[in-house]
Amino acid sequence: MSESYFADRMACMDVMLNYAKGVDQRDMLLFRSCFTEDLVATHAGVTYQGVGEWLQFIENALDRFGSTQHMLGPQLADI
């Protein structure tokens, strides 16, 4: 396997870890860095167009929780 394979695999894992850390620490800049501008996300039947809409939804949703703790299990990235 090439060095780029391992670098790409680590980059994928970093996105997942940054997502969890961003949410749990309420670091919206870190959380936002996990997505592209043209993100399309669907949650509970509602579709969010663009990272701005998604970020607003997440910030509002987090207001209901005193704290969160994301636990990530083994990750498999097919490069």
mmCIF file of all heavy atoms in Angstrom, residues 57-74:
data_model
loop_
_atom_site.group_PDB
_atom_site.id
_atom_site.type_symbol
_atom_site.label_atom_id
_atom_site.label_comp_id
_atom_site.label_asym_id
_atom_site.label_seq_id
_atom_site.Cartn_x
_atom_site.Cartn_y
_atom_site.Cartn_z
ATOM 1 N N PHE A 57 -28.853 24.274 12.268
ATOM 2 C CA PHE A 57 -29.657 23.195 12.840
ATOM 3 C C PHE A 57 -28.923 22.531 14.011
ATOM 4 O O PHE A 57 -29.505 22.315 15.074
ATOM 5 C CB PHE A 57 -30.014 22.148 11.776
ATOM 6 C CG PHE A 57 -30.510 20.867 12.369
ATOM 7 C CD1 PHE A 57 -31.774 20.802 12.939
ATOM 8 C CD2 PHE A 57 -29.712 19.739 12.399
ATOM 9 C CE1 PHE A 57 -32.228 19.629 13.516
ATOM 10 C CE2 PHE A 57 -30.147 18.565 12.969
ATOM 11 C CZ PHE A 57 -31.411 18.506 13.528
ATOM 12 N N ILE A 58 -27.659 22.217 13.810
ATOM 13 C CA ILE A 58 -26.885 21.540 14.853
ATOM 14 C C ILE A 58 -26.749 22.421 16.088
ATOM 15 O O ILE A 58 -26.933 21.953 17.219
ATOM 16 C CB ILE A 58 -25.497 21.114 14.321
ATOM 17 C CG1 ILE A 58 -25.634 20.041 13.243
ATOM 18 C CG2 ILE A 58 -24.584 20.656 15.451
ATOM 19 C CD1 ILE A 58 -26.255 18.735 13.718
ATOM 20 N N GLU A 59 -26.447 23.702 15.897
ATOM 21 C CA GLU A 59 -26.322 24.611 17.047
ATOM 22 C C GLU A 59 -27.627 24.666 17.830
ATOM 23 O O GLU A 59 -27.619 24.624 19.063
ATOM 24 C CB GLU A 59 -25.920 26.000 16.581
ATOM 25 C CG GLU A 59 -24.476 26.086 16.143
ATOM 26 C CD GLU A 59 -24.095 27.463 15.607
ATOM 27 O OE1 GLU A 59 -24.922 28.094 14.913
ATOM 28 O OE2 GLU A 59 -22.975 27.896 15.893
ATOM 29 N N ASN A 60 -28.759 24.765 17.130
ATOM 30 C CA ASN A 60 -30.063 24.795 17.807
ATOM 31 C C ASN A 60 -30.352 23.475 18.512
ATOM 32 O O ASN A 60 -30.878 23.464 19.625
ATOM 33 C CB ASN A 60 -31.175 25.121 16.815
ATOM 34 C CG ASN A 60 -31.103 26.547 16.314
ATOM 35 O OD1 ASN A 60 -30.524 27.417 16.945
ATOM 36 N ND2 ASN A 60 -31.673 26.785 15.149
ATOM 37 N N ALA A 61 -30.013 22.368 17.875
ATOM 38 C CA ALA A 61 -30.262 21.058 18.462
ATOM 39 C C ALA A 61 -29.428 20.861 19.727
ATOM 40 O O ALA A 61 -29.896 20.273 20.711
ATOM 41 C CB ALA A 61 -29.956 19.961 17.444
ATOM 42 N N LEU A 62 -28.202 21.355 19.718
ATOM 43 C CA LEU A 62 -27.325 21.181 20.871
ATOM 44 C C LEU A 62 -27.793 21.981 22.088
ATOM 45 O O LEU A 62 -27.425 21.641 23.227
ATOM 46 C CB LEU A 62 -25.892 21.567 20.515
ATOM 47 C CG LEU A 62 -25.159 20.589 19.604
ATOM 48 C CD1 LEU A 62 -23.813 21.170 19.173
ATOM 49 C CD2 LEU A 62 -24.970 19.239 20.280
ATOM 50 N N ASP A 63 -28.580 23.014 21.863
ATOM 51 C CA ASP A 63 -29.089 23.816 22.983
ATOM 52 C C ASP A 63 -29.899 22.985 23.967
ATOM 53 O O ASP A 63 -30.029 23.347 25.133
ATOM 54 C CB ASP A 63 -29.945 24.977 22.475
ATOM 55 C CG ASP A 63 -29.122 26.102 21.886
ATOM 56 O OD1 ASP A 63 -27.892 26.136 22.124
ATOM 57 O OD2 ASP A 63 -29.695 26.937 21.158
ATOM 58 N N ARG A 64 -30.441 21.861 23.521
ATOM 59 C CA ARG A 64 -31.265 21.012 24.378
ATOM 60 C C ARG A 64 -30.451 20.146 25.328
ATOM 61 O O ARG A 64 -30.997 19.545 26.242
ATOM 62 C CB ARG A 64 -32.146 20.097 23.523
ATOM 63 C CG ARG A 64 -33.171 20.846 22.715
ATOM 64 C CD ARG A 64 -33.981 19.896 21.901
ATOM 65 N NE ARG A 64 -33.094 19.279 20.916
ATOM 66 C CZ ARG A 64 -33.470 18.391 20.019
ATOM 67 N NH1 ARG A 64 -34.715 17.971 19.980
ATOM 68 N NH2 ARG A 64 -32.614 17.897 19.154
ATOM 69 N N PHE A 65 -29.143 20.064 25.084
ATOM 70 C CA PHE A 65 -28.301 19.157 25.856
ATOM 71 C C PHE A 65 -27.285 19.933 26.691
ATOM 72 O O PHE A 65 -26.654 20.857 26.210
ATOM 73 C CB PHE A 65 -27.531 18.213 24.923
ATOM 74 C CG PHE A 65 -28.422 17.390 24.045
ATOM 75 C CD1 PHE A 65 -28.654 17.770 22.730
ATOM 76 C CD2 PHE A 65 -29.034 16.255 24.532
ATOM 77 C CE1 PHE A 65 -29.483 17.018 21.908
ATOM 78 C CE2 PHE A 65 -29.866 15.495 23.719
ATOM 79 C CZ PHE A 65 -30.085 15.877 22.413
ATOM 80 N N GLY A 66 -27.140 19.530 27.935
ATOM 81 C CA GLY A 66 -26.112 20.136 28.769
ATOM 82 C C GLY A 66 -24.730 19.775 28.269
ATOM 83 O O GLY A 66 -23.822 20.587 28.251
ATOM 84 N N SER A 67 -24.580 18.530 27.859
ATOM 85 C CA SER A 67 -23.318 18.073 27.290
ATOM 86 C C SER A 67 -23.599 16.866 26.406
ATOM 87 O O SER A 67 -24.660 16.248 26.490
ATOM 88 C CB SER A 67 -22.317 17.713 28.383
ATOM 89 O OG SER A 67 -22.808 16.631 29.160
ATOM 90 N N THR A 68 -22.651 16.554 25.561
ATOM 91 C CA THR A 68 -22.741 15.360 24.720
ATOM 92 C C THR A 68 -21.394 14.652 24.769
ATOM 93 O O THR A 68 -20.364 15.252 25.085
ATOM 94 C CB THR A 68 -23.072 15.710 23.248
ATOM 95 O OG1 THR A 68 -22.083 16.620 22.752
ATOM 96 C CG2 THR A 68 -24.455 16.331 23.119
ATOM 97 N N GLN A 69 -21.411 13.369 24.454
ATOM 98 C CA GLN A 69 -20.176 12.595 24.404
ATOM 99 C C GLN A 69 -20.290 11.581 23.277
ATOM 100 O O GLN A 69 -21.017 10.599 23.389
ATOM 101 C CB GLN A 69 -19.912 11.881 25.727
ATOM 102 C CG GLN A 69 -18.620 11.092 25.716
ATOM 103 C CD GLN A 69 -18.365 10.382 27.032
ATOM 104 O OE1 GLN A 69 -19.229 10.305 27.900
ATOM 105 N NE2 GLN A 69 -17.173 9.847 27.190
ATOM 106 N N HIS A 70 -19.609 11.840 22.187
ATOM 107 C CA HIS A 70 -19.593 10.910 21.065
ATOM 108 C C HIS A 70 -18.495 9.877 21.288
ATOM 109 O O HIS A 70 -17.365 10.227 21.613
ATOM 110 C CB HIS A 70 -19.353 11.655 19.751
ATOM 111 C CG HIS A 70 -20.553 12.396 19.275
ATOM 112 N ND1 HIS A 70 -20.962 13.584 19.831
ATOM 113 C CD2 HIS A 70 -21.441 12.101 18.301
ATOM 114 C CE1 HIS A 70 -22.058 13.996 19.220
ATOM 115 N NE2 HIS A 70 -22.369 13.121 18.290
ATOM 116 N N MET A 71 -18.835 8.630 21.136
ATOM 117 C CA MET A 71 -17.883 7.533 21.258
ATOM 118 C C MET A 71 -17.774 6.883 19.880
ATOM 119 O O MET A 71 -18.777 6.430 19.330
ATOM 120 C CB MET A 71 -18.377 6.510 22.280
ATOM 121 C CG MET A 71 -18.688 7.104 23.647
ATOM 122 S SD MET A 71 -17.231 7.558 24.578
ATOM 123 C CE MET A 71 -16.571 5.975 24.967
ATOM 124 N N LEU A 72 -16.579 6.860 19.332
ATOM 125 C CA LEU A 72 -16.379 6.288 18.005
ATOM 126 C C LEU A 72 -15.733 4.921 18.122
ATOM 127 O O LEU A 72 -14.741 4.751 18.827
ATOM 128 C CB LEU A 72 -15.501 7.204 17.156
ATOM 129 C CG LEU A 72 -16.034 8.618 16.939
ATOM 130 C CD1 LEU A 72 -15.050 9.434 16.127
ATOM 131 C CD2 LEU A 72 -17.382 8.587 16.253
ATOM 132 N N GLY A 73 -16.308 3.987 17.413
ATOM 133 C CA GLY A 73 -15.744 2.640 17.368
ATOM 134 C C GLY A 73 -14.743 2.534 16.232
ATOM 135 O O GLY A 73 -14.331 3.533 15.641
ATOM 136 N N PRO A 74 -14.347 1.322 15.931
ATOM 137 C CA PRO A 74 -13.396 1.120 14.833
ATOM 138 C C PRO A 74 -13.915 1.737 13.535
ATOM 139 O O PRO A 74 -15.111 1.725 13.268
ATOM 140 C CB PRO A 74 -13.322 -0.412 14.706
ATOM 141 C CG PRO A 74 -13.769 -0.921 16.037
ATOM 142 C CD PRO A 74 -14.772 0.071 16.532
#
